[in-house]
Amino acid sequence: MKFKELGLTPELLTSIERSGFEEATPIQAETIPLALQGKDVIGQAQTGTGKTAAFGLPMLQKIDTSKRMLQGLVIAPTRELAIQTQEELYRLGRDKKIRVQAVYGGADIGRQIRGLKDNPHIVVGTPGRLLDHINRRTLKLETVETLVLDEADEMLNMGFLEDIEKIISKVPAERQTLLFSATMPTAIKNIGVKFMKEPEHVKIKAKEMTADLIDQYYVRSKDFEKFDIMTRLLDVQTPELTIVFGRTKRRVDELARGLEARGYKAEGIHGDLSQQKRMSVLRSFKNGNLDILVATDVAARGLDISGVTHVYNYDIPQDPESYVHRIGRTGRAGKGGMSVTFVTPNEMGYLHVIEELTKKRMTPLRPPSEKEAFKGQLGAAIETVEEKLKENGLENYLPSAENLLEKYSAEDLAALLLKTISKDPSDAVPVKITPERPLPSTKKGFNKNNRGGGGGNSRNRNKNGGGGYRGNKNNKGHSSSGGYNKNKDNRSAKRHNDKKRSFVIRDNSN
C-alpha cells in the first residue's frame, strides 16, 4: 500500500517521499489508519519492520504546531533506540516543523533540561531519565495527547515496569496510547487492560525467509580489510546490479567515494541527501547507469528495485530483521540472488542470531586473491572485446590496424587492448575507510527482540572463514577451482584505467 493512500497530510507525505519511502510496511499499513482515527493500538511486530513510522506518523499528524507545548511522549528501552527514534521523528516531521527532544541516561542532563525548556512538541526518552526529569519538574506531562510505549516487552525484560507505571500516572487519562511489542507476554496484555481503552490489536506475522533462491555467504575479516576484499569480490563475481549496505551515513559516503575512485559506477543514498538527489541516484540505478547503490537501512526501506543480483552487507546489521529486509532486495521474481555479509571477529554472535531467524546457515567464503580478481577483470575484458567484435563497424579502422601490425605483433596489440579496458587490482587506488565503532559485545549476545550486542560464545567456526571462494548458482561468479563464469552485462570492463594515486577518505563529520 502506498503512503498517500493512508490519509496522511501533504507535509508528512513530502517528508516521507524525501526519506525515500514508497510502500508502507504491513505494520504501517494496518496501524496508521487505526491510529489516525484516534484509537488505542497494540502493534505486534518484529524489530526492523518500520514501527517508528507506524506510531510516529499518526502522532506527528495530530501535533498542533501553533501550540508551543509537549503533545507526544515516546518511552523507549535503550538510549540507542531513543536517539534513533528521535532522529526518525525529526526527519518525518521536518516539513511540519515539529520539534523533537530525546532524553536518556549517560548524557549531559543540563543540556537536556535546556532543550525541555524550549517546549518541544515530542519527547522521546528512556524510563529512568524520564522519571529523573519528572522528579526535577523539568518535564511536565499534563499536556500529552499521545503516549507511545515502544518495544514494551524489552522494557519489561529490563525491569522497567514500575518506572513505566509511574510515568503513565503523570499522563492525562484522556489520551491516545500506542503500544508496540515483538512478543505479547501476559504482562504486556495487562498493560493493555490497565492503561488502554479498548485497544485494537494488530499482529504482523514474523516475515518468513524465502531464501531458497538466495545464496548467503559471510566473510570473516577485520574492519580495515573489508573494502579491498569487497572490490575483489566485485571483480570476480561481476554482478549486474548491486546494493552495498553500510551502517551509517558517513560509511555510505566513504564507500561510494572509494568505489568511484576504484573505477566502479557507484553512488550512495541516505537520509541527509536532498529528495532531488535521492531520486536522481535511484533513477540512475534502476536504469542501469549505476552498477552499485550504497545505502543505509533507513534510506533503502520501502524502495521497489528489481533486477538486483547481489547484496553486500559491508556492516552486519544490529537487528536481525534488518538482514531479512536487506537480502530481500535480491532473489525476487523467481530469480536467484546472492548476499555476502562481512563480519568482524567480535560480531560473530550477531551472525549466529541471524542464522537462527532465517533458519539457514550462511556459508563461509574465502576472499579472492588479487590474482583471482585480476583473472575476473581479464574475463570481463575479453567478453567486452567479443561483444564489440560482433557489433562490427570496424571498416574505417582496418587500414590503421594493418599499419600497427607491421610494427607490432598481434599478441602485443591484443594485450594492450585488454590492459586498456581492464585493470590490475595490484595497481588499485589506495582507499582508506574510517573505522566504525564495533557493535556492542555481551556474554549473552543478542536475541531477536533485543538490541544488545553479539558475543563470541556461539558455536565455533573456522577462524579463516573456511570454505573455498564461491559465486552464486546463476553462473555469476568464480568457482573455487579458479574457473571464471562470464556475465552478459559486464560493468567492470567499462571502468577507466586511472593512474595510480592515493585516495584517502577523511571523516569530516561533526
Side-chain angles (χ1 to χ4, degrees):
M1 180 178 286
K2 302 282 187 183
F3 278 102
K4 58 187 176 184
E5 301 173 45
L6 297 177
L8 296 166
T9 59
E11 297 101 322
L12 291 180
L13 289 174
T14 300
S15 296
I16 291 166
E17 189 179 354
R18 181 185 291 110
S19 298
F21 298 159
E22 295 176 5
E23 297 278 345
T25 66
I27 188 68
Q28 292 165 352
E30 293 197 35
T31 302
I32 290 172
L34 293 171
L36 287 176
Q37 294 171 35
K39 295 182 178 180
D40 285 6
V41 178
I42 295 176
Q44 185 177 350
Q46 296 296 318
T47 298
T49 52
K51 289 184 289 181
T52 305
F55 66 72
L57 289 168
M59 178 169 56
L60 290 165
Q61 180 143 317
K62 194 174 173 182
I63 298 290
D64 182 351
T65 51
S66 67
K67 298 177 181 177
R68 290 290 298 269
M69 64 183 190
L70 181 64
Q71 298 170 54
L73 177 67
V74 181
I75 309 177
T78 64
R79 59 177 292 172
E80 290 78 16
L81 182 57
I83 294 168
Q84 178 183 317
T85 301
Q86 185 268 337
E87 289 176 347
E88 188 159 351
L89 291 177
Y90 167 76
R91 278 194 300 269
L92 293 172
R94 187 162 60 178
D95 288 277
K96 198 176 173 182
K97 295 182 171 53
I98 291 174
R99 297 164 52 258
V100 188
Q101 169 80 30
V103 297
Y104 45 83
D108 181 1
I109 196 165
R111 179 178 295 179
Q112 292 177 4
I113 290 171
R114 289 191 294 275
L116 292 172
K117 282 182 178 177
D118 203 25
N119 296 317
H121 298 111
I122 299 171
V123 167
V124 184
T126 51
R129 184 52 65 96
L130 284 171
L131 270 181
D132 195 352
H133 282 291
I134 290 169
N135 293 334
R136 291 169 180 258
R137 299 194 60 78
T138 51
L139 176 64
K140 299 177 182 178
L141 306 180
E142 292 86 354
T143 56
V144 170
E145 297 177 0
T146 306
L147 170 67
V148 178
L149 303 177
D150 192 14
E151 303 217 354
D153 52 353
E154 188 170 340
M155 287 197 282
L156 294 188
N157 291 339
M158 296 169 74
F160 286 137
L161 180 58
E162 187 177 339
D163 289 350
I164 290 168
E165 291 187 343
K166 287 179 182 176
I167 295 167
I168 294 176
S169 70
K170 303 293 183 181
V171 180
E174 287 301 316
R175 64 169 187 269
Q176 181 179 29
T177 306
L178 307 174
L179 182 152
F180 286 79
S181 182
T183 58
M184 202 52 56
T186 304
I188 299 290
K189 293 176 182 174
N190 291 341
I191 289 177
V193 171
K194 188 173 180 181
F195 297 107
M196 303 177 77
K197 296 177 182 176
E198 299 179 355
E200 297 276 352
H201 190 172
V202 175
K203 182 177 180 180
I204 304 299
K205 188 177 180 183
K207 184 176 179 180
E208 296 294 331
M209 273 294 301
T210 54
D212 294 339
L213 295 171
I214 303 173
D215 293 340
Q216 299 175 59
Y217 300 98
Y218 76 90
V219 175
R220 181 170 170 148
S221 64
K222 295 176 182 177
D223 195 81
F224 70 88
E225 299 172 321
K226 290 181 184 179
F227 189 81
D228 286 335
I229 293 173
M230 183 175 71
T231 55
R232 289 179 198 166
L233 285 168
L234 290 167
D235 289 341
V236 172
Q237 293 170 350
T238 60
E240 294 179 26
L241 282 179
T242 305
I243 299 181
V244 175
F245 283 99
R247 189 176 298 139
T248 64
K249 290 174 282 191
R250 177 185 67 186
R251 186 76 116 183
V252 165
D253 285 337
E254 293 188 354
L255 288 174
R257 291 200 299 268
L259 287 166
E260 191 176 18
R262 289 265 173 105
Y264 303 89
K265 293 194 291 184
E267 284 203 61
I269 60 168
H270 52 66
D272 282 356
L273 295 182
S274 68
Q275 175 64 7
Q276 184 178 2
K277 177 62 175 174
R278 289 171 57 82
M279 298 312 293
S280 171
V281 171
L282 290 173
R283 270 195 304 272
S284 295
F285 187 63
K286 290 180 180 181
N287 295 337
N289 297 323
L290 277 181
D291 302 332
I292 303 170
L293 180 69
V294 190
T296 57
D297 285 312
V298 171
R301 270 185 221 153
L303 297 180
D304 183 19
I305 300 171
S306 59
V308 175
T309 57
H310 290 62
V311 168
Y312 294 93
N313 295 306
Y314 193 87
D315 299 303
I316 191 169
Q318 186 166 354
D319 299 320
E321 281 284 337
S322 295
Y323 174 83
V324 175
H325 290 284
R326 286 182 180 188
I327 73 166
R329 301 292 169 192
T330 185
R332 290 183 172 185
K335 295 181 180 179
M338 179 178 184
S339 72
V340 178
T341 301
F342 293 91
V343 190
T344 60
N346 70 314
E347 292 172 337
M348 291 300 290
Y350 287 79
L351 180 88
H352 303 325
V353 173
I354 287 170
E355 290 177 327
E356 290 174 18
L357 176 69
T358 61
K359 303 294 189 292
K360 186 171 180 178
R361 184 171 294 192
M362 289 186 228
T363 305
L365 188 67
R366 176 181 62 80
S369 64
E370 280 189 357
K371 186 176 180 181
E372 289 170 321
F374 186 42
K375 190 171 184 178
Q377 281 275 345
L378 288 177
I382 290 169
E383 185 171 300
T384 298
V385 170
E386 291 173 343
E387 288 177 357
K388 294 297 181 183
L389 284 170
K390 288 177 184 175
E391 292 176 9
N392 212 330
L394 303 176
E395 295 82 7
N396 295 335
Y397 303 92
L398 289 176
S400 298
E402 289 173 2
N403 292 335
L404 286 171
L405 284 168
E406 290 176 2
K407 299 179 182 179
Y408 309 101
S409 70
E411 290 82 2
D412 285 344
L413 291 172
L416 178 61
L417 174 62
L418 292 175
K419 182 180 180 181
T420 302
I421 61 176
S422 66
K423 135 170 88 73
D424 188 340
S426 64
D427 294 329
V429 175
V431 172
K432 181 180 179 181
I433 305 293
T434 306
E436 287 285 344
R437 181 181 299 174
L439 292 177
S441 181
T442 67
K443 289 182 180 179
K444 293 183 179 179
F446 71 179
N447 57 43
K448 295 173 197 173
N449 307 320
N450 194 330
R451 292 175 183 265
N457 296 335
S458 303
R459 64 181 183 278
N460 190 32
R461 295 242 188 192
N462 183 325
K463 289 183 180 178
N464 295 319
Y469 175 77
R470 292 174 175 82
N472 81 358
K473 294 177 183 176
N474 293 329
N475 295 330
K476 296 185 192 307
H478 186 286
S479 69
S480 56
S481 61
Y484 176 78
N485 289 321
K486 295 179 180 178
N487 185 304
K488 284 185 179 179
D489 188 9
N490 216 309
R491 314 288 205 237
S492 60
K494 302 176 186 175
R495 297 168 196 147
H496 53 77
N497 187 28
D498 284 345
K499 293 180 181 179
K500 187 171 181 179
R501 58 190 172 86
S502 178
F503 186 89
V504 179
I505 296 175
R506 304 187 185 281
D507 176 18
N508 295 319
S509 60
N510 293 324

